Amino acid sequence: MKFIVTENYEAMSRTAARVISGYVSSHPDCVLGLATGSTPIGLYRCLVEDCEAGALSFKDVTSFNLDEYRGLDPQHDQSYRYFMEHNLFSHVDIDPARTHVPDGACPDADAACAAYEQAIAEAGGLGLQLLGLGHNGHIGFNEPAPEFPKETHCVALTESTINANSRLFDSADDVPREAYTMGIGTIMAAKEILVVANGADKADIVRRAFFGPVTPEVPASILQFHPNVTVVVDKEAAALCQ
Ligand code: F6R
């Protein structure tokens, strides 16, 4: 595991963007796994700048996002599809037909998840997977659990996640109760993994995930077993790692 400590959020974003742009430049027709959340917004901005400067192209890239709320239309401003359009896809030259986010509007959960796994397999599997890190060690919507879920599946959101997300919706009743997420097995099958985390509030989980015991109670800890992981954090998030 490569563990890179940067000065601040901007430096973390630029460093992580360099990992992605390096990967895309050397594998122009690669399959990228992408994440939403507040952490990657800065790195997506850097990728957009690189594209605008003509230094990077997503022309032949295929993408698969980690997760999506179940029951939200792609046009909903809290859907992860909307987030990706807004923060990356509409600003770069990626072919919209090659961008994939689990279909939150599909009422048949089993069919939606199976179709997603199949689409990833048909694309040749994930090349580089980008991950953010939840405060409890979740990656995607894979929350602490007695075991590591393998494939794309439907999860019931915890009360704390629903409450945390309610600030983004008109009311708590509007927050989706379920989500589709890649499984830990799906993520671990990626050829390379890039994790980003910033801020003092992530310091404890960064230490537990990357320097603590591997356990499904800290889902990100499984990444210690992946052969090609780069973790890019700011110094606040690294504060508890020696
Ligand atoms: C997002 C995702 C989540 C986030 C995690 C961290 O697609 O799958 O696991 O990466 O919740 O979120 P932020 O970056 O907002 O702290």
Side-chain angles (χ1 to χ4, degrees), residues 35-40 66-67 132-134 138-140 202:
T36 60
S38 52
T39 318
L66 278 168
D67 42 16
L133 183 62
H138 72 225
I139 46 178
K202 294 280 172 80

